[in-house]
């Protein structure tokens, strides 16, 4: 089991000291030591510790330790991640490629291009091998085929369209980071000429056109996300039953004022708008952002989950996160504030993505191979300090600290665990809760296309068959190029290329047309965006609040009955097959965890039936131990040098 010390400190949001029933934030030196501690965690658990009967010397040691571990800024190499990896250096490691495509080799990118049929227009490059061009980009990535390697090197990888995914009709989703702002006129002209030439690689009317989507100025800001989640999480950090019932009267107004659900709706709507351009208008879409590592990751990932059924499987989803987030350079170290150096940089962008995916899973359960429990434990895994997946800002930072390029490794490189190996956290029986038994798999010979108002799924190899609303007009190419250049230079423009009415009409027609037909779970998947359809992710946010649970009810009760029926059908099929082959019937497999209890909580498997009860059915900590827990905890304490922190 992962040491308790390692689990707790990385999870803590804030600690409170209670004096005479009054709660005060715990920080600095205390003149008077508290009689009680209240600790709020990032998975929204609330712990209470009574110190009333504890010796003053012990209270002083406990309080000082909590302040040090939860508030003092840390160095990267002081994280428990490295202590654990050192202890596990000689332990056998599983191959991470069994669980996901890691996208750390050129071959991984080439295979992804072949899978999406994008290898006709795009190519995988190794110009950044060894991070010679840019430390922000991965060693290997994909760019338009006409792009020269010298162009990639010109602005250290900035201003270059980087491929994310190819649609069935030949259009592609790309992302681009903004060029640095320049005051000098001559340098600005050089950037303008550079952008003009680069843009021609993805926008060559009438053969192919591109639409630019500036996420830095025309979408959410990171500050909005941070403020919304800060308000939203307070609804679930409940200290006691009295506080829960006091907020119950105004709970919905507080929920609305947080704007978290509205932000989720805006993210899903933006993804649908991107899909409408790709699917209906047959246009390449180029996402723009300052560093292309936050909102670009969010929107491109959502679009792929909706359009590509492969991304709705466990293996495909894990590969998607590796490609768009880990290799895409999302700053997990800063956004999760693992080093506790800057609260301003802590923004739950990845959690927002998981919440958006949960909305899709909730609305279309048969389309996903994984369950909401999978998404919940994945969100918890962001802060478990034995996995390297979510603990670095870029692949370069990881390689410099733990890979072959690490200067500190005198022997072989540290072998850090990947979060995708769920056997590290859960026993096989618990892992069954991560996969969806009602998942509708793609038939082996299925070539059926969605009919009705949906657009044909032929790959466009030459001229478009019909002229769409966004087809080029006189001066269109120059206007689009200027639009892109202004965005890259960080300047806002007041007029969009297409009028908002045309975009809104096209979006509404596309959205309503899809929802007017029965969904194809192995095809395009769109969410419902209407107000009541965007819901609170109850399993993640309410799981530690007993008052919010329904004993023997909720969705888990329905799922339990469905699984019971499925097991009965499976047993009958086995008996029929056994008789057909003149064999004895096979023994039924072990009962599903959903059927081990007569009355389950609506928030199973995390639910606590009473406060201060024991651990839930599905613990969020690791199961496997690579050494004695006390030894590892002591080793970490010895490693921390208080003088350097």
């Amino acid at each position: 089991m992962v040491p308790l010390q390692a689990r707790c400190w990385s999870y803590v949001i804030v600690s409170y000291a209670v004096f005479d029933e009054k709660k005060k934030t715990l920080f600095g030196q205390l003149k008077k030591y508290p009689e009680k501690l209240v600790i709020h965690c990032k998975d929204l658990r609330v712990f209470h510790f009574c110190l009333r009967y504890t010796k003053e010397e012990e209270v002083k040691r406990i309080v000082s330790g909590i302040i040090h571990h939860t508030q003092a800024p840390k160095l990267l190499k002081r994280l428990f991640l490295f202590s654990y990896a050192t202890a596990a250096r000689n332990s056998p490691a599983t191959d991470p490629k069994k669980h996901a495509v890691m996208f750390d080799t050129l071959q991984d990118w080439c295979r992804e291009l072949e899978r999406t049929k994008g290898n006709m227009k795009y190519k995988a490059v190794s110009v950044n091998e060894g991070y010679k061009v840019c430390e922000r980009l991965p060693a290997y990535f994909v760019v338009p085929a006409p792009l020269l390697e010298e162009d990639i090197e010109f602005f250290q990888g900035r201003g270059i369209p980087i491929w994310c995914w190819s649609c069935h009709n030949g259009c592609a989703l790309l992302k681009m980071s903004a060029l640095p702002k320049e005051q000098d006129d001559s340098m600005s002209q050089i950037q303008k000429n550079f952008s003009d030439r680069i843009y021609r690689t993805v926008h060559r009317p009438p053969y192919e056109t591109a639409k630019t989507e500036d996420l830095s100025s025309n979408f959410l800001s990171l500050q909005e996300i941070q403020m919304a989640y800060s308000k939203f999480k307070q609804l679930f950090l409940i200290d006691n039953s009295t506080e829960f019932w006091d907020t119950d009267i105004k709970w919905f107004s507080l929920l609305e004022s947080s704007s978290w659900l509205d932000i989720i709706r805006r993210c899903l709507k933006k993804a649908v708008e991107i899909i409408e351009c790709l699917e209906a208008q047959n246009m390449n879409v180029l996402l723009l952002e300052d560093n292309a590592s936050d909102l670009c990751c969010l929107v491109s990932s959502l679009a792929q989950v909706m359009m590509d059924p492969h991304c709705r499987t466990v293996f495909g989803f894990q590969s998607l996160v590796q490609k768009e987030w880990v290799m895409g350079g999302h700053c997990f170290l800063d956004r999760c504030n693992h080093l506790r150096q800057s609260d301003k940089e802590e923004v739950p962008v990845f959690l927002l993505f998981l919440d958006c995916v949960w909305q899709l899973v909730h609305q279309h359960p048969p389309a996903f191979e994984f369950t909401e429990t999978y998404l919940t434990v994945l969100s918890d895994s962001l802060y478990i300090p034995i996995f390297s997946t979510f603990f670095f800002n870029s692949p370069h930072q990881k390689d410099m600290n733990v890979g072959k390029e690490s200067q500190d490794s005198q022997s072989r490189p540290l072998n850090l665990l990947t979060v995708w190996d769920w056997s590290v956290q859960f026993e096989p029986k618990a892992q069954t809760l991560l996969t969806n038994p009602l998942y509708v798999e793609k038939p082996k010979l299925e070539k059926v296309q969605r009919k009705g108002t949906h657009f044909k799924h032929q790959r466009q190899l030459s001229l478009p068959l019909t002229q769409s609303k966004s087809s080029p007009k006189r001066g269109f190419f120059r206007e689009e190029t200027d639009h892109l250049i202004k965005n890259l230079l960080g300047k806002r423009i007041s007029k969009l290329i297409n009028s908002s009415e045309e975009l809104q009409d096209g979006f509404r027609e596309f959205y309503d047309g899809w929802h007017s037909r029965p969904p194809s779970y192995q095809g395009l998947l769109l969410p419902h965006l209407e107000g009541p359809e965007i819901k609170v992710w109850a399993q993640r946010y309410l799981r530690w609040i007993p008052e919010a649970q329904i004993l023997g009810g909720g969705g888990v009760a329905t799922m339990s009955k469905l699984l019971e029926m499925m097991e009965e059908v499976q047993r009958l099929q086995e008996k029929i097959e056994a008789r057909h082959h003149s064999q004895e019937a096979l023994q039924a497999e072990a009962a599903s965890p959903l059927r081990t209890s007569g009355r389950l909580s609506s928030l199973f498997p995390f639910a606590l039936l009473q406060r201060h009860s024991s651990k839930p059915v599905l613990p969020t900590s690791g199961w496997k131990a690579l050494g004695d827990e006390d030894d590892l905890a002591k080793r970490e304490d010895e490693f921390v040098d208080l003088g350097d922190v």
Side-chain angles (χ1 to χ4, degrees):
M1 184 179 290
V2 180
L4 179 63
Q5 184 178 10
R7 294 200 306 269
C8 290
W9 303 138
S10 60
Y11 266 90
V12 172
I13 299 176
V14 64
S15 303
Y16 295 99
V18 179
F19 305 92
D20 300 324
E21 301 301 323
K22 294 182 179 180
K23 193 169 65 174
K24 296 182 180 180
T25 305
L26 190 65
F27 65 91
Q29 295 293 329
L30 299 178
K31 297 180 180 179
K32 179 182 177 183
Y33 288 98
E35 57 190 37
K36 184 179 179 182
L37 289 177
V38 179
I39 298 179
H40 290 180
C41 299
K42 292 183 178 180
D43 64 351
L44 305 182
R45 272 187 286 191
V46 178
F47 291 99
H48 297 255
F49 298 95
C50 179
L51 303 176
R52 184 175 300 170
Y53 306 107
T54 308
K55 294 181 180 179
E56 186 174 332
E57 295 78 11
E58 283 294 305
V59 174
K60 182 178 180 180
R61 187 179 68 85
I62 292 171
V63 171
S64 300
I66 291 176
I67 291 174
H68 165 70
H69 282 290
T70 61
Q71 298 179 16
K74 294 176 173 56
L75 301 175
L76 181 60
K77 285 295 184 72
R78 303 301 193 202
L79 291 177
F80 183 78
L81 176 74
F82 295 95
S83 299
Y84 191 88
T86 302
R89 190 189 293 271
N90 297 322
S91 301
T94 59
D95 184 6
K97 294 185 180 294
K98 293 181 179 179
H99 312 288
V101 180
M102 305 306 289
F103 292 98
D104 55 358
T105 65
L106 192 65
Q107 290 72 25
D108 286 346
W109 289 99
C110 291
R111 282 191 287 267
E112 182 69 3
L113 274 174
E114 293 176 4
R115 187 187 71 82
T116 59
K117 306 296 189 295
N119 50 353
M120 297 291 291
K121 298 180 180 180
Y122 299 89
K123 63 181 180 181
V125 294
S126 58
V127 64
N128 198 39
E129 198 168 32
Y131 307 100
K132 295 176 291 187
V133 175
C134 177
E135 296 179 355
R136 177 179 48 82
L137 293 173
Y140 312 99
F141 50 91
V142 175
V143 296
L147 197 69
L148 303 176
E149 290 191 357
E150 303 86 72
D151 293 330
I152 301 175
E153 299 172 355
F154 198 77
F155 284 107
Q156 292 79 46
R158 289 188 172 273
I160 298 297
I162 295 178
W163 177 87
C164 297
W165 183 77
S166 286
C167 187
H168 56 76
N169 58 12
C171 299
L173 180 61
L174 306 107
K175 62 183 178 181
M176 180 188 291
S177 57
L179 291 172
K181 296 180 181 179
E182 293 290 344
Q183 302 295 331
D184 184 73
D185 292 339
S186 61
M187 193 62 194
S188 296
Q189 185 61 40
I190 293 174
Q191 289 185 344
K192 180 179 175 64
N193 296 335
F194 175 80
S195 300
D196 185 22
R197 179 162 44 85
I198 295 302
Y199 192 55
R200 295 174 188 268
T201 63
V202 294
H203 182 82
R204 296 175 295 171
Y207 301 101
E208 62 176 342
T209 58
K211 172 181 170 53
T212 59
E213 190 71 43
D214 184 10
L215 301 180
S216 295
S217 60
N218 299 327
F219 192 44
L220 292 167
S221 68
L222 296 181
Q223 290 74 22
E224 284 182 85
I225 298 173
Q226 184 185 54
M227 289 180 62
Y229 185 70
S230 180
K231 294 178 182 177
F232 178 72
K233 70 183 179 184
Q234 295 304 320
L235 297 173
F236 312 101
L237 291 169
I238 304 297
D239 288 352
N240 50 60
S241 297
T242 303
E243 185 177 340
F244 174 82
W245 293 113
D246 287 343
T247 59
D248 183 60
I249 301 174
K250 53 184 178 180
W251 197 84
F252 283 106
S253 60
L254 292 173
L255 176 63
E256 184 180 6
S257 65
S258 73
S259 300
W260 181 251
L261 296 186
D262 185 59
I263 284 178
I264 292 172
R265 181 183 295 104
R266 291 170 65 183
C267 291
L268 292 171
K269 185 175 184 291
K270 179 61 68 175
V272 176
E273 291 174 357
I274 300 301
I275 292 170
E276 191 263 340
C277 291
L278 292 166
E279 181 86 8
Q281 300 186 36
N282 292 324
M283 300 176 71
N284 294 327
V285 177
L286 183 60
L287 304 176
L288 305 178
E289 193 184 8
D290 290 341
N291 290 316
S293 59
D294 288 302
L295 299 177
C296 278
C297 299
L298 172 65
V299 174
S300 65
S301 298
L302 283 177
Q304 291 175 63
V305 169
M306 294 181 197
M307 296 191 75
D308 192 345
H310 175 71
C311 296
R312 300 197 285 266
T313 65
V314 173
F315 186 89
F317 184 78
Q318 294 176 170
S319 301
L320 172 68
V321 174
Q322 277 292 139
K323 180 182 69 170
E324 295 297 329
W325 295 85
V326 179
M327 289 298 163
H330 181 65
C331 300
F332 284 104
L333 190 68
D334 294 339
R335 294 292 176 253
C336 298
N337 201 14
H338 291 308
L339 299 182
R340 300 188 179 276
Q341 292 182 345
S342 175
D343 291 339
K344 294 182 180 179
E345 294 294 322
E346 185 175 2
V347 185
V349 184
F350 187 70
L351 177 59
L352 175 59
F353 165 66
L354 294 181
D355 207 329
C356 291
V357 174
W358 179 86
Q359 304 293 333
L360 291 165
V361 171
H362 180 73
Q363 293 181 18
H364 306 287
F368 292 86
E369 189 183 21
F370 49 86
T371 62
E372 68 167 340
T373 302
Y374 170 89
L375 295 173
T376 301
V377 298
L378 181 57
S379 70
D380 291 336
S381 300
L382 275 172
Y383 304 100
I384 297 181
I386 67 171
F387 303 113
S388 62
T389 310
F390 304 130
F391 266 79
F392 295 97
N393 282 338
S394 65
H396 169 261
Q397 187 183 47
K398 178 180 178 180
D399 289 348
M400 288 299 294
N401 285 279
V402 302
K404 296 179 181 179
E405 300 178 24
S406 176
Q407 299 176 356
D408 296 334
S409 56
Q410 299 178 354
S411 56
R412 60 180 181 176
L414 293 176
N415 187 16
L416 296 182
L417 299 173
T418 173
V419 73
W420 309 127
D421 184 4
W422 295 106
S423 64
V424 176
Q425 294 194 63
F426 308 115
E427 296 290 352
K429 186 176 180 180
Q431 290 181 54
T432 61
L433 296 171
L434 307 182
T435 55
N436 180 13
L438 303 181
Y439 171 60
V440 177
E441 295 187 58
K442 183 177 182 179
K444 294 182 180 179
L445 300 177
E446 181 182 7
K447 295 184 179 180
V448 180
Q449 298 176 358
R450 192 180 183 88
K451 299 181 180 180
T453 57
H454 287 276
F455 300 87
K456 295 182 179 180
H457 286 202
Q458 282 95 17
R459 180 169 298 281
Q460 183 176 319
L461 297 177
S462 57
L463 292 172
L465 298 176
T466 58
Q467 191 174 19
S468 63
K469 292 182 180 179
S470 60
S471 60
K473 301 178 182 178
R474 186 168 62 88
F476 180 82
F477 173 70
R478 175 55 55 189
E479 291 174 7
E480 275 287 276
T481 304
D482 290 342
H483 173 60
L484 173 67
I485 292 168
K486 290 176 181 178
N487 280 325
L488 291 177
L489 298 179
K491 298 177 181 178
R492 294 193 177 190
I493 59 174
S494 59
K495 187 176 181 180
L496 297 175
I497 298 304
N498 297 313
S499 69
S500 58
E501 292 182 359
E502 286 181 341
L503 288 176
Q504 185 61 34
D505 290 344
F507 170 81
R508 176 55 60 182
E509 181 183 354
F510 178 74
Y511 177 81
D512 290 343
W514 190 90
H515 283 290
S516 67
R517 300 284 180 176
S520 173
Y521 294 125
Q522 287 300 323
L524 177 64
L525 197 71
L526 298 185
H528 292 279
L529 298 174
E530 295 76 15
E533 299 294 341
I534 306 299
K535 302 180 183 300
V536 173
W537 183 0
Q539 189 192 65
R540 185 183 195 276
Y541 299 121
L542 293 169
R543 54 184 160 159
W544 312 121
I545 305 177
E547 293 81 3
Q549 298 167 22
I550 307 171
L551 186 60
V556 70
T558 304
M559 179 65 72
S560 179
K561 288 296 182 183
L562 288 172
L563 289 178
E564 186 176 347
M565 293 174 63
M566 289 179 62
E567 290 173 3
E568 182 65 24
V569 170
Q570 184 178 3
R571 283 196 295 270
L572 291 173
Q573 287 177 339
E574 289 174 351
K575 289 181 179 179
I576 293 172
E577 291 176 2
R579 288 184 179 180
H580 181 71
H581 295 91
S582 301
Q583 297 176 357
E584 294 183 359
L586 299 173
Q587 294 292 328
E589 295 182 0
S592 166
L594 279 173
R595 298 185 59 202
T596 57
S597 174
R599 298 189 70 197
L600 300 171
S601 165
S602 58
L603 300 179
F604 176 89
F606 300 95
L608 302 178
L609 299 182
Q610 58 181 3
R611 293 192 181 273
H612 314 298
S613 62
S614 59
K615 62 184 179 181
V617 176
L618 186 65
T620 54
S621 60
W623 286 95
K624 302 296 178 66
L626 295 174
D628 183 73
E629 180 174 327
D630 294 333
D631 290 342
L632 282 173
K634 291 176 182 177
R635 193 176 297 123
E636 185 204 27
D637 286 339
E638 294 169 0
F639 190 45
V640 175
D641 185 355
L642 299 182
D644 294 338
V645 177

